[in-house]
Amino acid sequence: MCFIFFFSSRRRHTRYISVTGVQTCALPISIDEAGNIINSSQITIYYDPQAPRIGLLSPPNGNVTNNDTINFTFRVRDTLSPTVGCNLTIDSALNKSYYNISTPGSTYNYATEMIPGFSAGIHFWNVTCVDLAGNIRVSPTWNFTVPAPDILINTGNITFSSSSPKEDDSITIFANVFSTGNTKAQNIIVQFFEGDPATGGLQVGGNKTLPLLNPGENQTVNVTWIVVMGT
């Protein structure tokens, strides 16, 4: 609704004009007793009952990623509001706010955010946008899964500081640990055993922890072992 006020020397008049979309109105209008008329500069009034339209694009819903860095992309448009603001929510927490995204009529505008460091497992995301009239729309919630890290160690990766130790000799055992997956591994615990731990084998030394192993990397850990007769 557009309100136009008419001022004369004796009274004020008001006229109401229905507005749809964007309407430019001039107000107020002043009329003196001689019939001279002057109006104010124009103002623009927005009547916008429609919320922004949002489209989630990537990662696709139900996607299993190939690493822990995720590219989020969505699009938004609003035929009546020239700009909108949007929030990117990941796992129920606000991650990123976008202010004054241009929404020129029926044309979509796109937003992209590259976010690293996701933990292994399933994650959820959605987008909320609000236009200048305060209309809010929340997109559907999509999910994606970051695969667990893949760690490799075998007998070929285990070496000894001596190939022919004697009883009571102190030798060092080395193990080379590889990350063969596409996601980083954190706080990897490596244990050495004399014999099969499933059948009562004894642990040699204490636990060794690798704080971080990125995809394609390998690191070596070691323990000291006192050779016992018969082993």
Side-chain angles (χ1 to χ4, degrees):
M1 188 70 69
C2 182
F3 305 90
I4 300 182
F5 302 97
F6 296 85
F7 292 92
S8 69
S9 59
R10 294 182 182 157
R11 66 176 62 183
R12 184 184 76 175
H13 308 275
T14 304
R15 178 177 296 174
Y16 302 92
I17 301 174
S18 295
V19 175
T20 58
V22 180
Q23 179 72 44
T24 300
C25 302
L27 67 156
I29 295 175
S30 297
I31 307 173
D32 63 18
E33 292 184 353
N36 299 305
I37 300 175
I38 188 171
N39 65 333
S40 70
S41 59
Q42 291 183 340
I43 67 169
T44 301
I45 296 175
Y46 294 89
Y47 173 68
D48 180 3
Q50 299 177 356
R53 295 182 179 273
I54 306 168
L56 304 184
L57 297 176
S58 70
N61 193 27
N63 182 58
V64 178
T65 69
N66 59 8
N67 57 59
D68 60 2
T69 297
I70 308 301
N71 180 31
F72 293 90
T73 302
F74 67 92
R75 65 182 185 178
V76 60
R77 70 179 176 91
D78 193 307
T79 56
L80 299 177
S81 181
T83 62
V84 300
C86 296
N87 288 336
L88 171 62
T89 300
I90 304 173
D91 294 335
S92 300
L94 174 62
N95 187 276
K96 175 76 174 183
S97 292
Y98 305 84
Y99 302 100
N100 298 323
I101 298 177
S102 177
T103 50
S106 60
T107 302
Y108 278 100
N109 204 341
Y110 293 77
T112 298
E113 198 72 29
M114 187 78 72
I115 302 177
F118 281 91
S119 61
I122 189 170
H123 299 271
F124 300 88
W125 72 289
N126 62 26
V127 173
T128 302
C129 294
V130 58
D131 63 18
L132 293 180
N135 301 304
I136 298 174
R137 189 182 300 276
V138 181
S139 76
T141 296
W142 284 9
N143 72 78
F144 61 94
T145 299
V146 176
D150 196 355
I151 304 301
L152 172 67
I153 184 170
N154 55 38
T155 55
N157 306 131
I158 301 172
T159 58
F160 301 85
S161 60
S162 174
S163 59
S164 55
K166 301 180 180 61
E167 185 178 5
D168 295 330
D169 280 355
S170 176
I171 66 172
T172 303
I173 307 172
F174 302 91
N176 204 7
V177 183
F178 292 82
S179 175
T180 59
N182 293 315
T183 55
K184 65 184 177 184
Q186 296 176 290
N187 300 318
I188 308 162
I189 297 176
V190 182
Q191 297 175 318
F192 295 77
F193 284 85
E194 178 185 341
D196 187 346
T199 57
L202 300 177
Q203 185 173 354
V204 177
N207 292 347
K208 303 296 179 179
T209 302
L210 298 176
L212 176 64
L213 201 59
N214 288 311
E217 289 185 344
N218 67 87
Q219 294 184 31
T220 301
V221 294
N222 65 81
V223 294
T224 301
W225 179 49
I226 304 299
V227 179
V228 178
M229 177 72 72
T231 58

